[in-house]
Amino acid sequence: MRELMGEAPTDEVLTDDAFLGGRLHLLQPQRGHRAGHDALLLAASAPEAGRAVDLGAGVGAAGLAYAARVPVATLTLVEIDPALADLAGRNAARQMPGLAERVRVVCADVARLGRPSGPDMPAAGAADLVLMNPPFNDLARHRASPHSGKALAHAIADADAEVWLRAAERLLAPGGRLALIHRPEAIEALLAGLKGRFGAVTIRPVHPSPEAPANRLLIGAIKGRRTPPALLPALVLAGGDGRPSAAAEHVLRAGGAIGPG
């Protein structure tokens, strides 16, 4: 990790961090919300698609990790914070040759994207895949961070996840796919928000270790389907000895996909 002074749009100190075993390098603010395993797990859980949109992209971690794995994908990174949107564009430009040509950045509010009269970009009904890493922490159970950027990225009520699902539904073409990561505590609100919009819902628990409860859910769904939900085998990130599991190494270091079953 390197610290860079004076290069952030907000004059914040930036760090230059390596992901996926050094295949992805991201500039991100030293303070506030920072990209980590959640973004990489989300990218690895998403099926291959031609036209992908990453909602709440931050500095671009999930979307760029996905684009690095899927060379046929074009990608739109959507971020409400202009400073982070600027960093997402800079991060796209500094990856492998040709990747930036497949990526565009849109500074937009997810809530507006879900309205029938929402912005023209990204275009409604044009995406094959939407990736979502919504803010996780329900304000009824968690104190918001005093850092405004971190609070924006981390804290909304569970019920407000429907706002993000509405945006995903509007952006996806019929039969388009949704991939999202969230906390297990939000499952009731998520299933309620998916109902009537998406079907063929798959739920994969993610456990930090074999004996620990799941602390994340990887959820997939298809717009317009009515197929019942399915619970997939769990992903365990570390063994009893604390060392990363083979599955975690495959995803977090090698940049591989999480299989469908």
Side-chain angles (χ1 to χ4, degrees):
M1 179 180 75
R2 293 190 296 122
E3 293 185 359
L4 307 174
M5 299 294 294
E7 295 190 24
T10 57
D11 293 326
E12 286 194 68
V13 175
L14 299 180
T15 61
D16 187 352
D17 303 305
F19 295 84
L20 300 179
R23 283 181 294 282
L24 186 67
H25 292 267
L26 299 176
L27 299 174
Q28 55 182 335
Q30 186 180 47
R31 298 174 61 243
H33 175 68
R34 290 172 58 79
H37 286 176
D38 287 346
L40 302 185
L41 291 170
L42 173 60
S45 73
E48 294 192 8
R51 300 163 298 175
V53 176
D54 180 5
L55 293 181
V59 299
L64 294 176
Y66 177 80
R69 176 170 67 83
V70 185
V72 300
T74 59
L75 173 68
T76 301
L77 300 171
V78 178
E79 172 54 46
I80 190 173
D81 185 329
L84 293 182
D86 180 82
L87 282 175
R90 291 169 61 186
N91 283 330
R94 65 200 301 262
Q95 306 309 320
M96 63 184 69
L99 191 147
E101 298 171 5
R102 300 187 279 123
V103 178
R104 106 183 125 186
V105 180
V106 175
C107 190
D109 183 352
V110 168
R112 290 192 61 217
L113 287 174
R115 298 170 187 165
S117 59
D120 293 334
M121 297 292 291
D128 303 309
L129 170 71
V130 168
L131 300 95
M132 285 190 347
N133 185 1
F136 274 1
N137 294 329
D138 190 330
L139 294 170
R141 291 193 293 266
H142 301 268
R143 292 181 60 187
S145 168
H147 188 279
S148 59
K150 191 169 186 177
L152 187 65
H154 274 236
I156 62 169
D158 285 349
D160 289 339
E162 184 177 4
V163 172
W164 289 63
L165 296 172
R166 200 159 51 231
E169 181 190 25
R170 177 174 174 267
L171 295 178
L172 283 167
R177 292 178 176 269
L178 170 68
L180 70 93
I181 185 168
H182 218 297
R183 295 173 295 103
E185 298 94 318
I187 186 62
E188 186 176 5
L190 291 170
L191 290 176
L194 290 165
K195 188 174 181 179
R197 297 185 172 99
F198 296 88
V201 176
T202 59
I203 303 167
R204 187 186 303 275
V206 180
H207 299 256
S209 65
E211 302 301 323
N215 62 359
R216 294 290 185 269
L217 296 176
L218 291 167
I219 297 178
I222 301 177
K223 178 179 174 177
R225 287 282 181 88
R226 296 294 179 263
T227 312
L231 185 62
L232 299 182
L235 176 66
V236 181
L237 297 181
D241 58 2
R243 295 185 179 183
S245 66
E249 289 283 324
H250 172 70
V251 169
L252 301 176
R253 288 189 60 81
I258 300 173

